[in-house]
Amino acid sequence: MNRILIVEDEEPIANLIRTALEGPDYRCDWAADGLTAADLLEREPFDLALLDIMLPGADGYEVLEYCRSLEVPVIFLTAKGTVEDRVRGLRMGAEDYIAKPFELMELLARVETVLRRCGKTGRVLSLPPDIEIDTAARVVTKDGVPVTLTAKEYELLLLLLQNRNIALYRDRIYERVWGAEYLGDSRTVDLHIQRVRKKLGLEKRLVAVYKVGYRLEV
Ligand code: CA
């Protein structure tokens, strides 16, 4: 189940998208303006945002920057379909761009592709050559042998894997895994990183990034 945020000020379009996506694979939330979108992004863990560009409050480009800081991939969904707008959106880091009007089948295909590319879908995630995570069963194996992780260790591993090769800030990790604001003096993240490293033999691949946090190298 992936969580998708629809940011769209025209309710009929938002409803159409929601109806097309919602089911066993996706759960959707809707924000009608940029500021509500930022609030929701702050509070809830989304796997993808579908962003309109022309919005009341903060526009789609501003919401895109916010999404990027939270490592939420973005697909722009907009009537502003000129080449310049398309290039601007992609340059700023959007994963894809769909011009209105669009076919729902196309939307579904693009959502699937982006989620897959960003490692946010699929039952089994792998960390080659030896580690696999069955996200439906919440089972982690190393060389085919199950490894017991606590709930927080598991969520930490999943977060790192979903953001493979990206340096994650310690406070961001803390907020995402523990769901609370990081107060700066906690050793919780470091201790859990050490345990995950040891249990899975990730000493060389789960690296500390000076003054930032950690990066899982894949
Ligand atoms: Ca609009």
Side-chain angles (χ1 to χ4, degrees):
M1 165 80 72
N2 288 117
R3 291 196 59 185
I4 298 176
L5 177 63
I6 302 163
V7 188
E8 167 63 67
D9 56 332
E10 286 166 74
E11 191 170 359
I13 297 179
N15 284 339
L16 192 70
I17 296 169
R18 187 172 205 153
T19 309
L21 290 175
E22 273 206 318
D25 296 329
Y26 308 118
R27 187 183 138 194
C28 298
D29 288 76
W30 171 48
D33 62 79
L35 298 176
T36 307
D39 280 347
L40 277 170
L41 285 158
E42 183 115 297
R43 284 207 310 271
E44 310 278 342
F46 289 101
D47 300 302
L48 176 73
L50 293 170
L51 294 187
D52 186 19
I53 291 181
M54 307 290 272
L55 289 167
D59 72 15
Y61 296 117
E62 291 173 86
V63 180
L64 168 66
E65 294 203 349
Y66 204 74
C67 287
R68 292 198 61 196
S69 72
L70 297 169
E71 296 119 27
V72 176
V74 164
I75 298 178
F76 271 131
L77 203 68
T78 177
K80 288 192 79 171
T82 68
V83 175
E84 289 78 14
D85 293 320
R86 202 185 160 95
V87 168
R88 179 172 176 200
L90 294 174
R91 278 227 175 100
M92 285 179 68
E95 290 289 333
D96 208 345
Y97 196 116
I98 305 174
K100 292 175 188 169
F102 52 86
E103 295 290 331
L104 290 173
M105 289 295 284
E106 183 190 6
L107 172 73
L108 276 167
R110 288 185 188 240
V111 164
E112 268 175 42
T113 304
V114 168
L115 287 169
R116 204 180 312 120
R117 190 161 71 217
C118 297
K120 298 197 183 261
T121 186
R123 201 183 140 97
V124 177
L125 294 173
S126 73
L127 174 53
D130 51 347
I131 294 163
E132 285 195 339
I133 305 174
D134 183 328
T135 56
R138 285 181 83 97
V139 171
V140 179
T141 56
K142 180 175 166 65
D143 292 321
V145 180
V147 176
T148 306
L149 298 181
T150 65
K152 294 301 179 200
E153 289 164 358
Y154 175 84
E155 283 172 38
L156 177 60
L157 177 67
L158 211 56
L159 178 69
L160 289 158
L161 192 58
Q162 284 166 345
N163 296 282
R164 63 194 79 185
N165 300 321
I166 295 172
L168 293 180
Y169 282 87
R170 203 177 260 102
D171 56 353
R172 193 76 239 141
I173 295 174
Y174 189 84
E175 285 163 18
R176 292 288 286 269
V177 174
W178 280 268
E181 195 179 334
Y182 183 65
L183 298 172
D185 55 351
S186 169
R187 292 271 300 146
T188 308
V189 172
D190 307 275
L191 292 172
H192 279 75
I193 289 274
Q194 281 168 29
R195 292 187 55 83
V196 169
R197 265 193 192 130
K198 196 165 171 214
K199 285 184 176 180
L200 293 168
L202 291 172
E203 287 83 355
K204 292 207 172 73
R205 287 177 278 175
L206 180 41
V207 300
V209 182
Y210 183 62
K211 287 193 171 169
V212 174
Y214 295 96
R215 181 178 63 234
L216 181 61
E217 296 185 338
V218 180

